[in-house]
Amino acid sequence: MRLHTLTVQAFGPFADEQRVDFDRLSAGGLFLVHGPTGAGKTSVLDAVCFALYGQVPGTRGAERSFKSDHAPPDREPRVDLEFTVAGRRLRIRRKPAWLRPKKRGSGTTRQNTKVLVMEQRADRWEDVTNRPDEAGQFIGDLLGLTLPQFCQIVLLPQGDFARFLRARAEDRRQSLERIFNTRVFRDVEDWLQSHAKQLRYQVQSAQERVHETAGRISEAGRSPAPSDPEELSAWAAELAAVTAATARDAATVAAGATGARDAALDAREAGRRTRERQDRLARARLQYEESGERAEERAGIDVRLAEAERAASVLPFLEARDRSYTELEKAEATVAERVLLVRGLPGAVTEPVAAGPLEGAERDRRDETARLDALLGDAERHSSLGHTVTALTGRLDRLREELDGTRQKVAALPPEVEKAEEELLRVRERAARAEVEQTALEAARRRLAAAEEHTALGRELAAAEDAARAAVDADQNTREHALRLRERRTSHMAAELAGRLVGGEPCSVCGSPDHPAPARPAEEGLVTDEQERAAQAEADTAAARRSEAESAEAALRERRKGAAARAEGHTVASAREEVDARVRALARARSAADEARRLEKAVGELTAALERHREREGDLVRQEAQVRTELDHKAAQRDELARKLDAARGDDPGIGERITRLRGEADLLRAAADAVHARERAAEEARTAAAEAEGRWEEAGFGSEGLVREAALDERERRGLRERARGLDRLRAAAEADLADPELAAAAAEPSPDLDALASEAALAAEAADHAVSWRSGLEERARRLAELRGELGVRLSGCEPLLREYGVAEGMRALTAGTSADNTDGVRLSAYVLAARLERVVAAANDRLLTMSDGRYELRYTVDKASGDGRSRSAGGLGMRVVDAWTGVERDPATLSGGETFFSSLALALGLGDVAGAEAGGADIDTLFVDEGFGTLDEDTLEEVLDVLDRLREGGRAVGVVSHVADLRQRVSTRLRVVKGASGSRVEHTG
């Protein structure tokens, strides 16, 4: 894949449209991307990733929006990338999601992510797709790389590989899994672990069920269970057989005991029956004697009941007569009460009181009421007209009062309107300068801020210049010191080797056991490896500090120059005076503007009030004339009806009151007449009832009403006498029946039985039988339960065996793949074993370049051994790396490398991993590579060797971009892309 052009707008730090020409940068094979910290060097690579994948690597991909904060709110963010892959020239335009200002009103509208993929065919661009999901699939299929793989192969993030070089085995495994997509082998480990764990739970559950059944057998059989599971089956069978035999013996004993108990119970029952018959016969003889003595009482009951029956036939007639007398008394009282109410009415009451005059007076009043009902409508209309006249009079008075007030307002408002309009014209002239003064104030404030920034940056720049000079001096001193130590050690290498010689042992250089003239060190002594490394580390640190100081100085100088241009020649004092003057002028203009708005509102309100009052005056005049006409008409109608109703009402207050009075009198007269008629009917009924009652008591054989009432009994008394007679009859009949019973007579001839002795013998026999039956039932239930549990134990034992076999296989596979099995001699997990093959290839590819970069000194070696940070777990290793130092022949931990050594070692590892990962991804051709940062840690010689290695990457037309802010690289690399930052956003500049 080769990149051609990249265009960004409103993306990251780039506010305006910026175009990166990779064809121009790639012409020389090696190009430099440089610029101050924070300018946006890495954002160029982020834009490439976003165009291809719609995402950016690392934590930057978690940003809420990719839109530049420097760009105007309405500028649309976009990224265009043109590149060639697999012989096809493509162009991708992506627009991230962003918030666009609404076209109408305030607020924002969310714009979703958009993408357009085009392909050049026959000198013209044709659309491929505009759907994000299809675009992602299309690019992924062409490149054959995921975003993490692309970042590792194309972008070569040096910092990540420095961590990878020193990482624990587990962290290294996670990185390799992400690059080589070998998660499936880790999933196999997890599945085997989960499967073995599940089977272990099943085995434990099955064994618990077996122990639970054995415990129930032990409890039922009252015998402890054996500890050996293989003996459980035989133990359960023996226990069940012994218990069954004992139960059969107990059944025979229980049968004899129950027979003796039944015989004793029969003897006790026979004695009880004999005693009961003897007692019944004695009671019967006593009852028979008592019934003979009470025969006279029995005959008297029958006589008394017969008299009560005859009196009962007369009592209803006596009660009917008494009721008729009561009704007559009530009728007399009603007549007296109602006649009293009408006695004052003319022509209504005569002596004695009769119904005819009452009914005549009622008819006279009903007839007059009918005539008056016809006049009720006129009375209601007269009342309604009175209310209407009163309401119209009040309304006319209110209209006249409101009309006077309105006419006064119409006369007073025109002068006020004229005065307010004149004042408004004067104020508008003063407010016209508010906008001009606002613009002038904003410009003055910007000049003041720029002047203050220029002054502050001057102080910072002076400090930065001092720091840069000190850093340059320190860098030169430490570098010269490191070079002197390296030259001394190189010139005295023979003396250093001679210091390790031992008499009689072969020399590590020539192999001879004789050492006739070993080299001697100079007066200043030997330089140790630790001293050389310490000096180099100090030089690397000083170089990095120098680069940072120079970059900081340059950035401050650019910022101060920009601030001076924005200040437009003003000092802080002059700019502050200008701002104060503009503030005062704007305050005066805004005060006039506020006054103008107030006056405009007042004029509008006065004009509207005048128009409203004039319209109201006309409405009131028309309403006054209408109300006055309607009032005259209604008053005339009311007076005419009043004359007619006064003639009809007589002495009463009104027609309604007269009708109410006449109807009330008619109702009273009607009630009095009805009461007279009811009294006459009640008197006739009382005479008839008295005659009929007297005839009935004579017919029943009673001489007077008093004898009837003496003989009468109520229902409760009659029922009591009948129950007493039936009780005496039952007592005599029962005594006669028992005396005639032959069984009772035979029982009287037998001797009286001893019931207490018989009951004691029966209780002893029952207790013995119950004990025997309980013993037999317990043994039978125990034998049945043991038989069931024996079968259950057999089923559960047979179910454990296949589970144990399956668990053994699963646990063996789990331990083997987890690296904890004794069969796994290296203690390496399956996933680590698979990744180890990739890591060996990566190390081999890295060593091809590392030997050149380190001048043949260092070589990486893969090992299955655990590193110091890998923990104590047996399976923690498998992905270890060591560094072999050819100068000392000692293997070292990568963490012991210096900063520069770590950089070129991790760079070689990154390049090797890129080669292997590219081959794994299908051998995609990568014609454009980027190496991000880390060159500041290298000395001049090592930097040359690293650049030589990068130069060799250009073979076959490949272009390599180095992303760094190291100043020395600008002298060594002629083709450069400079990223310049500023207050309004960053921009790019091409050189070479």
Side-chain angles (χ1 to χ4, degrees):
M1 182 190 75
R2 175 176 290 277
L3 304 180
H4 298 299
T5 60
L6 172 70
T7 304
V8 297
Q9 174 182 285
F11 182 88
F14 305 106
D16 300 326
E17 181 179 294
Q18 301 295 320
R19 186 173 185 273
V20 180
D21 189 349
F22 286 112
D23 287 336
R24 176 181 174 182
L25 295 172
S26 303
L30 183 66
F31 62 92
L32 174 67
V33 181
H34 69 100
T37 301
K41 302 185 295 297
T42 304
S43 295
V44 174
L45 307 185
D46 287 346
V48 173
C49 293
F50 179 76
L52 292 173
Y53 296 97
Q55 304 174 52
V56 299
T59 57
R60 300 185 299 278
E63 286 293 327
R64 180 167 47 88
S65 174
F66 296 118
K67 188 178 185 302
S68 175
D69 295 331
H70 300 283
D74 58 348
R75 182 170 295 171
E76 183 179 46
R78 62 179 172 85
V79 177
D80 294 349
L81 179 66
E82 189 173 331
F83 63 100
T84 299
V85 61
R88 302 171 66 176
R89 185 153 183 147
L90 302 172
R91 179 185 294 164
I92 300 178
R93 169 170 291 182
R94 283 192 191 268
K95 299 176 181 178
W98 65 295
L99 297 176
R100 174 181 61 78
K102 292 183 177 178
K103 296 180 179 178
R104 294 184 179 87
S106 60
T108 58
T109 300
R110 179 177 174 81
Q111 300 292 307
N112 294 324
T113 301
K114 297 179 181 178
V115 63
L116 175 63
V117 180
M118 296 177 287
E119 183 175 0
Q120 188 177 44
R121 297 172 183 168
D123 297 330
R124 63 187 181 90
W125 292 96
E126 297 181 0
D127 293 350
V128 176
T129 181
N130 61 358
R131 291 183 52 181
D133 54 344
E134 292 181 356
Q137 184 67 37
F138 177 74
I139 297 301
D141 292 343
L142 276 180
L143 294 179
L145 299 172
T146 62
L147 176 60
Q149 291 173 332
F150 181 83
C151 294
Q152 297 289 351
I153 296 171
V154 179
L155 303 186
L156 301 182
Q158 181 270 335
D160 288 350
F161 277 91
R163 288 188 293 273
F164 181 82
L165 181 66
R166 299 167 174 167
R168 298 182 300 112
E170 177 62 20
D171 296 335
R172 195 173 287 131
R173 179 192 61 77
Q174 293 176 0
S175 299
L176 292 173
E177 274 186 355
R178 185 176 66 251
I179 297 170
F180 291 109
N181 194 22
T182 58
R183 177 67 192 183
V184 63
F185 298 99
R186 185 59 178 265
D187 293 341
V188 169
E189 293 177 11
D190 295 341
W191 183 87
L192 287 172
Q193 181 178 4
S194 174
H195 183 58
K197 184 178 181 181
Q198 182 179 4
L199 288 176
R200 182 170 70 253
Y201 289 153
Q202 293 178 6
V203 168
Q204 291 174 351
S205 178
Q207 291 176 340
E208 288 174 358
R209 289 194 296 270
V210 168
H211 291 316
E212 186 267 337
T213 303
R216 285 187 285 151
I217 293 174
S218 175
E219 181 181 357
R222 301 176 183 176
S223 173
S227 58
D228 188 356
E230 296 181 356
E231 298 178 2
L232 288 175
S233 181
W235 165 74
E238 180 182 358
L239 195 60
V242 170
T243 304
T246 305
R248 288 193 293 271
D249 295 339
T252 303
V253 174
T258 54
R261 177 198 61 192
D262 294 341
L265 290 175
D266 290 343
R268 185 190 64 181
E269 182 62 23
R272 185 187 60 77
R273 285 196 299 270
T274 300
R275 173 64 64 82
E276 286 180 354
R277 289 168 182 168
Q278 291 173 351
D279 292 343
R280 279 179 60 193
L281 182 60
R283 287 194 300 271
R285 290 171 179 169
L286 182 60
Q287 290 174 0
Y288 187 76
E289 293 174 358
E290 290 178 355
S291 63
E293 294 173 356
R294 303 176 70 176
E296 183 178 353
E297 179 186 354
R298 175 67 181 81
I301 290 174
D302 291 340
V303 173
R304 186 71 181 87
L305 287 173
E307 290 177 352
E309 289 295 330
R310 287 188 289 111
S313 64
V314 179
L315 285 176
F317 295 95
L318 293 176
E319 293 172 355
R321 183 203 63 187
D322 294 340
R323 286 194 300 272
S324 65
Y325 285 164
T326 302
E327 292 296 326
L328 178 59
E329 291 173 359
K330 291 180 180 178
E332 289 287 354
T334 301
V335 169
E337 178 184 354
R338 294 184 179 178
V339 168
L340 181 63
L341 295 175
V342 298
R343 187 172 294 280
L345 300 178
V349 180
T350 61
E351 294 297 339
V353 178
L358 293 171
E359 291 173 346
E362 177 198 2
R363 283 192 299 272
D364 295 340
R365 285 163 175 77
R366 299 274 184 207
D367 293 341
E368 185 177 357
T369 300
R371 290 191 301 273
L372 292 174
D373 283 340
L375 297 176
L376 282 177
D378 292 339
E380 293 177 357
R381 188 158 177 262
H382 175 267
S383 176
S384 176
L385 286 171
H387 294 313
T388 303
V389 168
T390 302
L392 289 173
T393 302
R395 183 180 177 191
L396 183 61
D397 294 340
R398 291 191 298 273
L399 286 173
R400 287 172 177 170
E401 182 180 355
E402 184 179 358
L403 180 58
D404 292 340
T406 302
R407 285 172 175 168
Q408 292 176 3
K409 293 178 181 177
V410 168
L413 281 174
E416 294 182 15
V417 172
E418 183 178 357
K419 180 180 179 181
E421 288 176 345
E422 292 175 356
E423 180 67 19
L424 177 60
L425 290 175
R426 290 193 297 271
V427 172
R428 279 177 174 171
E429 292 176 357
R430 296 198 305 270
R433 292 192 54 79
E435 185 175 352
V436 175
E437 294 296 342
Q438 177 65 41
T439 303
L441 175 60
E442 292 175 355
R445 284 174 172 168
R446 287 195 295 271
R447 287 191 288 272
L448 174 60
E452 291 174 342
E453 183 182 2
H454 181 267
T455 302
L457 289 175
R459 293 191 296 269
E460 294 181 18
L461 179 59
E465 289 173 346
D466 294 341
R469 284 192 293 272
V472 170
D473 294 342
D475 179 34
Q476 292 175 349
N477 293 334
T478 55
R479 183 177 300 181
E480 291 173 359
H481 177 62
L483 289 176
R484 284 195 301 271
L485 290 180
R486 181 177 298 175
E487 291 173 357
R488 282 176 54 194
R489 188 180 184 196
T490 302
S491 60
H492 294 82
M493 183 59 67
E496 180 178 347
L497 294 175
R500 301 174 187 170
L501 294 175
V502 178
E505 294 185 3
C507 174
S508 60
V509 177
C510 64
S512 172
D514 299 326
H515 317 298
R520 302 296 180 186
E523 295 180 358
E524 61 268 23
L526 295 176
V527 176
T528 65
D529 182 54
E530 290 76 10
Q531 291 174 327
E532 182 184 0
R533 282 202 303 271
Q536 184 60 48
E538 185 178 359
D540 293 342
T541 302
R545 290 175 179 169
R546 173 184 178 178
S547 177
E548 292 175 357
E550 290 175 344
S551 298
E553 178 188 359
L556 286 172
R557 198 179 302 280
E558 290 293 330
R559 289 175 58 192
R560 189 165 186 263
K561 185 186 297 182
R566 293 193 300 276
E568 299 178 0
H570 281 275
T571 63
V572 174
S574 63
R576 185 171 289 113
E577 290 177 0
E578 181 186 10
V579 168
D580 294 341
R582 294 298 182 186
V583 167
R584 290 191 295 271
L586 178 60
R588 290 192 297 271
R590 284 178 173 173
S591 175
D594 294 340
E595 180 66 15
R597 285 192 291 272
R598 186 189 66 77
L599 289 173
E600 288 173 355
K601 182 178 180 182
V603 168
E605 291 175 350
L606 289 172
T607 304
L610 179 59
E611 291 299 324
R612 288 197 304 273
H613 290 313
R614 285 173 176 170
E615 292 176 0
R616 184 58 180 166
E617 180 184 10
D619 291 340
L620 291 173
V621 170
R622 288 190 295 274
Q623 292 179 25
E624 180 190 15
Q626 293 172 356
V627 171
R628 187 169 54 250
T629 301
E630 185 177 2
L631 175 61
D632 295 342
H633 178 67
K634 297 295 183 181
Q637 290 181 342
R638 180 196 62 185
D639 296 342
E640 178 64 25
L641 286 174
R643 288 190 293 272
K644 181 179 178 181
L645 292 173
D646 287 343
R649 64 183 174 81
D651 296 333
D652 292 306
I655 295 296
E657 289 80 354
R658 186 173 182 83
I659 291 174
T660 300
R661 181 180 63 79
L662 291 175
R663 282 179 177 167
E665 292 177 357
D667 292 340
L668 292 174
L669 290 169
R670 179 73 266 169
D674 290 343
V676 171
H677 289 306
R679 182 189 63 182
E680 293 172 354
R681 289 191 299 272
E684 181 62 28
E685 290 175 357
R687 288 191 295 270
T688 303
E692 188 174 2
E694 184 177 357
R696 288 290 182 179
W697 77 56
E698 290 177 354
E699 183 181 345
F702 293 102
S704 64
E705 178 182 349
L707 295 175
V708 173
R709 295 194 181 279
E710 288 179 4
L713 295 173
D714 59 23
E715 181 60 28
R716 183 180 60 80
E717 291 172 333
R718 289 197 300 272
R719 187 166 56 252
L721 287 175
R722 286 194 290 269
E723 286 295 330
R724 180 64 178 165
R726 284 195 293 271
L728 292 173
D729 292 343
R730 285 195 299 271
L731 186 62
R732 184 174 182 84
E736 291 176 349
D738 287 342
L739 291 174
D741 189 347
E743 291 184 354
L744 297 182
E750 296 180 2
S752 179
D754 187 356
L755 294 180
D756 292 338
L758 292 174
S760 178
E761 293 176 358
L764 292 175
E767 182 179 358
D770 291 342
H771 179 72
V773 170
S774 176
W775 180 47
R776 180 204 63 194
S777 299
L779 288 173
E780 289 177 347
E781 174 62 22
R782 191 185 307 168
R784 182 193 64 78
R785 181 64 176 155
L786 287 173
E788 292 177 355
L789 292 175
R790 177 191 174 193
E792 181 180 337
L793 180 64
V795 171
R796 292 188 172 180
L797 284 172
S798 61
C800 278
E801 296 177 0
L803 274 177
L804 287 170
R805 290 193 297 271
E806 186 177 358
Y807 171 67
V809 174
E811 178 61 21
M813 289 298 296
R814 182 206 64 77
L816 183 64
T817 57
T820 59
S821 172
D823 295 333
N824 191 334
T825 56
D826 290 333
V828 178
R829 304 172 68 97
L830 173 63
S831 57
Y833 179 78
V834 173
L835 291 173
R838 272 77 169 181
L839 184 57
E840 283 186 296
R841 292 168 56 194
V842 169
V843 169
N847 284 332
D848 291 341
R849 297 180 175 91
L850 181 57
L851 289 172
T852 301
M853 294 181 185
S854 64
D855 197 18
R857 178 178 180 181
Y858 293 117
E859 182 180 6
L860 296 175
R861 186 176 72 82
Y862 158 75
T863 177
V864 298
D865 298 335
K866 291 187 291 184
S868 58
D870 289 340
R872 298 181 178 181
S873 173
R874 187 176 186 271
S875 60
L879 294 174
M881 276 199 301
R882 306 285 288 174
V883 177
V884 180
D885 189 340
W887 287 5
T888 63
V890 176
E891 287 188 2
R892 297 163 54 186
D893 191 310
T896 63
L897 295 174
S898 68
E901 292 168 343
T902 298
F903 167 69
F904 61 67
S905 298
S906 60
L907 176 60
L909 189 62
L911 294 172
L913 183 61
D915 293 342
V916 176
E920 286 278 333
D925 292 330
I926 306 300
D927 295 325
T928 306
L929 297 177
F930 294 90
V931 180
D932 191 1
E933 285 298 350
F935 294 90
T937 61
L938 303 179
D939 57 40
E940 293 181 2
D941 296 337
T942 306
L943 180 60
E944 286 293 344
E945 293 169 352
V946 170
L947 291 178
D948 288 342
V949 172
L950 294 178
D951 259 343
R952 287 198 290 272
L953 293 176
R954 297 184 295 172
E955 296 175 358
R958 181 182 291 177
V960 180
V962 176
V963 182
S964 177
H965 59 267
V966 175
D968 288 348
L969 287 175
R970 302 174 200 168
Q971 309 301 323
R972 301 171 185 267
V973 181
S974 59
T975 304
R976 300 187 298 275
L977 177 71
R978 181 188 178 198
V979 184
V980 182
K981 68 178 179 180
S984 59
S986 298
R987 68 181 190 275
V988 298
E989 297 176 353
H990 295 74
T991 302

